Amino acid sequence: MPDILSLSKLKILIISHNRIQYLDLSVFKFNQELEYLDLSHNNLEKISCHPTLNLKHLDLSFNPFDALPICQEFGNMSQLEFLGLSATQLQKSSVQSITHLHISKVLLVLGDTYGEREDAESLQDLKTQSLHIVFPTGKEFHFILDVSVGTTVSLELSNIKCVLDDNGCPYFENVLSKLQKNSRLSNLTLNNIEITWNSFFTILQLVWRTNIEYFSISNVKLQGYLDSRDFDYSDTSLKALSIHKVVHDVFSLPQGYVYKILSNMNIQHLTVSAAHMVHMVCPSQISPFLYLNFSNNLLTDTVFINCTNLANLKTLILQKNQLKELVNIVHMTQEMKSLQQLDVSQNSLMYDESEGNCPWARNLLSLNMSSNILTDSVFRCLPPQIKVLDLHNNRIRSIPKDVTGLETLQELNLASNSLAHLPGCGIFSSLSILIIDYNSISNPSADFFQSCQKIRSLKAGNNPFQCSCELRDFIQSIGQVSSDVVEGWPESYKCDYPESYKGTPLKDFQVSELSCNTALLIVTIVVPGLVLAVAVTVLCIYLDLPWYLRMVCQWTQTRRRARNVPLEELQRTLQFHAFISYSGHDSAWVKNELIPNLEKEDIRICLHERNFVAGKSIVENIINCIEKSYKSIFVLSPNFVQSEWCHYELYFAHHNLFHEGSDNLILILLDPIPQYSIPSSYHKLRALMAQRTYLEWPKEKSKHGLFWANLRASINIKLMEKAAEIN
């Protein structure tokens, strides 16, 4: 192990279950901080000692040492708490170098050839609180080793086989009888024992009369037949007996006799588990039992029915048996006046409401009914003062809302059921711990923490959370409580659907306030819509949109009629050189100046008072005159902008679709028009005056000639003869 030399800070080294045959402890001379060294289960036969180690844990067990591998230098390990040894022979002198050490636990594994040369007193000087001796496997117990080490409080003996002697197991019984010398010994454990039924009860009787308080027997194989005998329960210090994992090959065993001995024991704690026990009788008198554990057996609902002698019992464990009817369990506990804790988990319990009330033991505070086939109805059959309730791994889909009488419940485990909702605390006013993971909860209520003011631990992870707006509120509520309250957060809380969020931790799920708040969404949409509607309305009023709509309607109708007229025919319909639009207040200038100066040059003028066709609407007459005129002359003055009909005529002339692209408008400014005097609805006039060149009527008479010449030139065109004849 040369690589270890460089690990100067090494504290723990485990190299067990290898093939190491030789060890020189000097290899650890540079590992001064090494505290834990495990070399068990190797092929070590010899070690070379070194004085520098000061370990707390040294395990050399399960190695083929001949003598105890105890170096003189081990005596310097003042911190040694655990020492594991192996040997095929024991000598008192072998342990002298460590007899001054007070070791917490010593493990001694005896090799297969142990017993050939045996020193019965070899361990008497050892000082340890806990001693575990492993005898050779599969070898009949014919040993005389005195295991009553004076300082030992806890003793464990493994691999006890005694089946060949019909008279019992004298060697082992002799070993046990010597335990009486050690007044400090209070714990005895026998592990992996193979004996007869008679020897089993003989051993039990021997231990009964010692100072041992806690006796545990595990991995027991019993053989032979059992002779009826009386068991003496007097003069015992025993408080607890535990028998675990028992097998036997006798089918005609008088089980009633065995059950009677066990049930009448005057001790406080009794455990018989994994023993294929099919029944247990009621004690014949008031029993001192405080704790009974009959888990992993074959007990049925008939156990302890009408048993009134378990009035002192506080804890009963019937886990993993053959229990089926919850009502029978309820009636069983009715006579157990002191019962506070009951475990009937891992059975096949069912409850039918039609079977009546559930008169549980009044003092029952803790009830474990997990891993059964109970449904929602179980909440109608619970003890009135229950504080701790475990119902995980059942078939519960919901908690009935009308359940009452659970005001004292403090801890509730509903994990691994089919609950779709996170329950509130309306009926659990004292609830402080709730475990509800591995259910079908997709949208837990955001009001949970407000409803459960006393909650100090919630475990709700590993549910199929639906990442939505409702879940966002729950996530926010988690952020408002202490980080210690929600267990498993955030690693156990992930989105299950929608698919796009699957696997996303809830703490990373984000959705906008707008998409979740319906009222805010409505306000966000409606308010801008209203503002826009108001703005459009105001703008329409300001720009006189209704007037334009009426004009467009009239113009559209006229255009529809004109679509079917060929272009040649439209040209033939041109009858006038100009259509004149003016205000009635300017009629004197038009009739006295404008018309005479134009018509004397054989220019045809269209006027509304002489050319409008009777019977047609004014708008239609205006459009017809504009269509039949080469140009449209508008006499502009302050009077013009006050005339609505002048406005119509200007609008239609500017939008003359039949002369689209042509320069068909002529503006004559008779009198100056101030910008402020032009109404808002005349924005088209504003634009025309800003963009187009207009003729301004000169006040000087000398300029009139040039004015008329320019005007006549702009409208002079030869009209078709046919059109002229029509006129």
Side-chain angles (χ1 to χ4, degrees):
M1 297 180 285
D3 296 338
I4 297 176
L5 296 173
S6 61
L7 303 176
S8 59
K9 300 295 183 182
L10 184 65
K11 289 188 175 183
I12 299 175
L13 177 60
I14 301 174
I15 46 179
S16 61
H17 295 86
N18 281 284
R19 299 178 182 179
I20 302 173
Q21 298 179 353
Y22 173 75
L23 175 65
D24 185 351
L25 291 177
S26 64
V27 74
F28 303 113
K29 62 183 178 181
F30 296 112
N31 309 111
Q32 295 299 311
E33 297 186 21
L34 187 64
E35 297 178 347
Y36 190 106
L37 179 59
D38 186 351
L39 289 159
S40 62
H41 298 276
N42 277 285
N43 295 326
L44 285 170
E45 296 180 358
K46 185 179 180 181
I47 62 173
S48 178
C49 301
H50 192 271
T52 58
L53 292 174
N54 192 12
L55 300 170
K56 291 183 179 180
H57 183 106
L58 175 59
D59 194 351
L60 299 170
S61 62
F62 296 98
N63 280 287
F65 292 109
D66 185 21
L68 287 173
I70 299 177
C71 298
Q72 188 71 28
E73 288 79 4
F74 285 7
N76 297 324
M77 296 183 184
S78 57
Q79 300 183 84
L80 194 61
E81 296 175 356
F82 176 89
L83 178 59
L85 300 170
S86 298
T88 57
Q89 57 177 312
L90 299 179
Q91 293 181 353
K92 194 171 185 179
S93 59
S94 301
V95 300
Q96 290 304 309
S97 59
I98 61 171
T99 54
H100 63 286
L101 298 178
H102 293 273
I103 306 172
S104 297
K105 182 172 182 178
V106 173
L107 169 61
L108 176 57
V109 180
L110 301 176
D112 293 339
T113 61
Y114 174 76
E116 296 176 359
R117 289 179 294 174
E118 190 175 11
D119 183 356
E121 303 295 323
S122 56
L123 302 178
Q124 290 304 297
D125 295 334
L126 199 62
K127 292 183 177 62
T128 180
Q129 290 184 343
S130 178
L131 176 60
H132 182 189
I133 301 176
V134 180
F135 291 96
T137 304
K139 193 172 184 179
E140 192 76 8
F141 196 95
H142 288 149
F143 311 117
I144 59 173
L145 181 64
D146 190 348
V147 297
S148 59
V149 179
T151 59
T152 302
V153 176
S154 178
L155 175 63
E156 181 174 354
L157 303 176
S158 297
N159 298 336
I160 313 299
K161 182 176 181 181
C162 192
V163 295
L164 299 179
D165 195 338
D166 294 335
N167 296 320
C169 193
Y171 283 92
F172 187 61
E173 292 171 12
N174 182 58
V175 170
L176 292 180
S177 64
K178 292 181 180 180
L179 298 179
Q180 196 71 281
K181 298 186 300 181
N182 182 5
S183 60
R184 299 186 59 184
L185 185 64
S186 61
N187 294 274
L188 174 62
T189 300
L190 303 181
N191 186 34
N192 292 331
I193 65 173
E194 185 177 353
I195 56 177
T196 64
W197 275 100
N198 287 324
S199 295
F200 177 79
F201 281 102
T202 299
I203 292 171
L204 197 57
Q205 188 72 80
L206 281 171
V207 174
W208 205 266
R209 298 194 182 104
T210 63
N211 295 320
I212 294 171
E213 296 180 353
Y214 303 95
F215 184 26
S216 177
I217 310 173
S218 60
N219 298 304
V220 185
K221 183 176 181 181
L222 298 173
Q223 299 181 11
Y225 295 91
L226 177 61
D227 299 329
S228 296
R229 63 176 75 182
D230 293 329
F231 193 90
D232 186 1
Y233 297 106
S234 62
D235 300 326
T236 185
S237 300
L238 198 64
K239 295 180 180 178
L241 171 63
S242 176
I243 304 172
H244 175 67
K245 213 167 185 181
V246 180
V247 295
H248 59 87
D249 55 6
V250 179
F251 298 99
S252 59
L253 182 73
Q255 296 184 27
Y257 172 71
V258 176
Y259 301 151
K260 181 179 179 182
I261 292 178
L262 294 175
S263 66
N264 287 315
M265 288 183 170
N266 53 336
I267 57 177
Q268 295 179 346
H269 296 253
L270 174 63
T271 296
V272 182
S273 62
H276 300 91
M277 187 168 61
V278 298
H279 191 58
M280 176 53 65
V281 298
C282 181
S284 58
Q285 57 185 357
I286 299 297
S287 173
F289 284 140
L290 300 178
Y291 175 97
L292 287 178
N293 183 351
F294 297 140
S295 60
N296 198 9
N297 282 292
L298 302 173
L299 300 175
T300 64
D301 301 350
T302 60
V303 66
F304 295 139
I305 288 294
N306 299 321
C307 182
T308 60
N309 289 331
L310 291 172
N312 296 315
L313 187 65
K314 292 185 177 181
T315 301
L316 176 59
I317 300 176
L318 299 175
Q319 179 191 79
K320 207 171 183 181
N321 276 277
Q322 301 294 320
L323 309 180
K324 294 184 178 180
E325 297 294 335
L326 181 60
V327 171
N328 293 335
I329 306 302
V330 172
H331 290 295
M332 175 194 71
T333 66
Q334 194 172 13
E335 301 296 335
M336 300 175 182
K337 307 300 183 183
S338 303
L339 189 64
Q340 296 180 357
Q341 182 175 349
L342 175 63
D343 185 349
V344 288
S345 62
Q346 299 185 62
N347 281 282
S348 301
L349 287 173
M350 296 183 296
Y351 173 66
D352 186 351
E353 292 184 66
S354 63
E355 294 176 348
N357 297 328
C358 296
W360 289 94
R362 291 183 175 274
N363 296 317
L364 190 57
L365 303 177
S366 177
L367 178 58
N368 186 346
M369 296 192 292
S370 63
S371 299
N372 282 284
I373 50 177
L374 297 166
T375 60
D376 306 357
S377 60
V378 70
F379 284 94
R380 306 186 192 281
C381 183
L382 294 175
Q385 302 298 322
I386 192 71
K387 290 186 177 181
V388 180
L389 178 61
D390 190 345
L391 288 169
H392 84 267
N393 194 26
N394 275 282
R395 299 180 182 178
I396 300 172
R397 295 183 175 272
S398 64
I399 300 176
K401 295 182 179 180
D402 57 345
V403 172
T404 59
L406 296 177
E407 292 79 8
T408 61
L409 187 63
Q410 298 176 1
E411 299 182 23
L412 177 60
N413 188 344
L414 292 170
S416 301
N417 278 283
S418 301
L419 289 162
H421 303 285
L422 187 63
C425 293
I427 58 177
F428 310 124
S429 56
S430 301
L431 192 65
S432 61
I433 298 177
L434 175 61
I435 302 173
I436 197 166
D437 52 344
Y438 294 101
N439 273 274
S440 301
I441 300 172
S442 57
N443 289 308
S445 172
D447 299 329
F448 173 78
F449 291 104
Q450 185 175 359
S451 170
C452 302
Q453 297 287 335
K454 296 182 180 180
I455 202 77
R456 56 183 175 84
S457 178
L458 171 65
K459 189 175 183 181
N462 299 295
N463 274 290
F465 294 112
Q466 180 179 2
C467 287
S468 60
C469 293
E470 293 80 2
L471 190 65
R472 188 196 67 149
D473 297 335
F474 174 73
I475 297 172
Q476 291 177 347
S477 68
I478 291 179
Q480 298 172 0
V481 298
S482 172
S483 58
D484 298 333
V485 172
V486 184
E487 293 190 30
W489 178 268
E491 58 272 7
S492 298
Y493 296 76
K494 296 181 180 180
C495 300
D496 191 68
Y497 49 93
E499 193 67 28
S500 57
Y501 284 106
K502 190 167 185 176
T504 302
L506 296 195
K507 69 179 182 65
D508 297 333
F509 171 68
Q510 295 180 350
V511 62
S512 66
E513 177 71 25
L514 183 63
S515 61
C516 291
N517 192 326
T518 304
L520 181 61
L521 183 61
I522 293 174
V523 169
T524 304
I525 295 175
V526 171
V527 170
L530 289 175
V531 172
L532 180 62
V534 171
V536 170
T537 302
V538 171
L539 191 62
C540 288
I541 295 174
Y542 178 76
L543 297 178
D544 200 11
L545 186 62
W547 181 86
Y548 281 104
L549 290 176
R550 291 196 303 270
M551 295 302 101
V552 168
C553 180
Q554 291 285 347
W555 189 255
T556 302
Q557 292 175 359
T558 304
R559 184 181 180 186
R560 186 181 299 113
R561 292 195 304 269
R563 280 179 177 171
N564 297 324
V565 181
L567 181 60
E568 295 80 2
E569 186 176 344
L570 286 175
Q571 291 176 339
R572 287 195 299 270
T573 61
L574 196 64
Q575 301 176 16
F576 303 101
H577 289 90
F579 167 71
I580 300 176
S581 175
Y582 60 94
S583 170
H585 296 285
D586 300 322
S587 61
W589 181 83
V590 171
K591 294 177 180 180
N592 297 327
E593 294 286 346
L594 180 60
I595 294 176
N597 280 285
L598 294 179
E599 288 186 338
K600 71 180 181 179
E601 297 293 334
D602 199 23
I603 292 176
R604 296 184 180 278
I605 302 298
C606 179
L607 296 173
H608 65 272
E609 63 263 28
R610 69 186 186 190
N611 295 107
F612 277 15
V613 179
K616 290 186 178 182
S617 67
I618 295 176
V619 172
E620 190 171 2
N621 274 307
I622 292 173
I623 294 174
N624 287 333
C625 285
I626 291 173
E627 290 176 351
K628 294 176 181 180
S629 301
Y630 175 54
K631 298 285 185 177
S632 294
I633 299 174
F634 290 89
V635 180
L636 305 180
S637 69
N639 298 320
F640 183 92
V641 299
Q642 300 299 324
S643 172
E644 183 178 358
W645 289 112
C646 289
H647 187 196
Y648 292 161
E649 292 168 352
L650 177 64
Y651 177 85
F652 287 122
H654 185 260
H655 293 86
N656 185 359
L657 301 180
F658 308 110
H659 297 79
E660 187 175 355
S662 64
D663 188 15
N664 64 326
L665 293 181
I666 297 176
L667 304 180
I668 298 176
L669 185 63
L670 181 61
D671 293 312
I673 304 176
Q675 284 289 111
Y676 66 83
S677 67
I678 301 177
S680 59
S681 60
Y682 275 65
H683 67 277
K684 184 63 66 178
L685 177 61
R686 291 174 184 266
L688 289 172
M689 292 184 69
Q691 298 172 1
R692 302 178 66 87
T693 301
Y694 51 85
L695 297 175
E696 186 174 358
W697 171 247
K699 299 300 180 183
E700 299 87 348
K701 194 170 183 178
S702 59
K703 298 179 179 179
H704 289 178
L706 180 60
F707 173 85
W708 296 123
N710 288 335
L711 181 59
R712 284 193 292 269
S714 62
I715 62 175
N716 190 22
I717 188 175
K718 185 176 181 180
L719 299 177
M720 295 180 66
E721 294 182 0
K722 188 173 182 179
E725 292 175 0
I726 294 173
N727 191 47

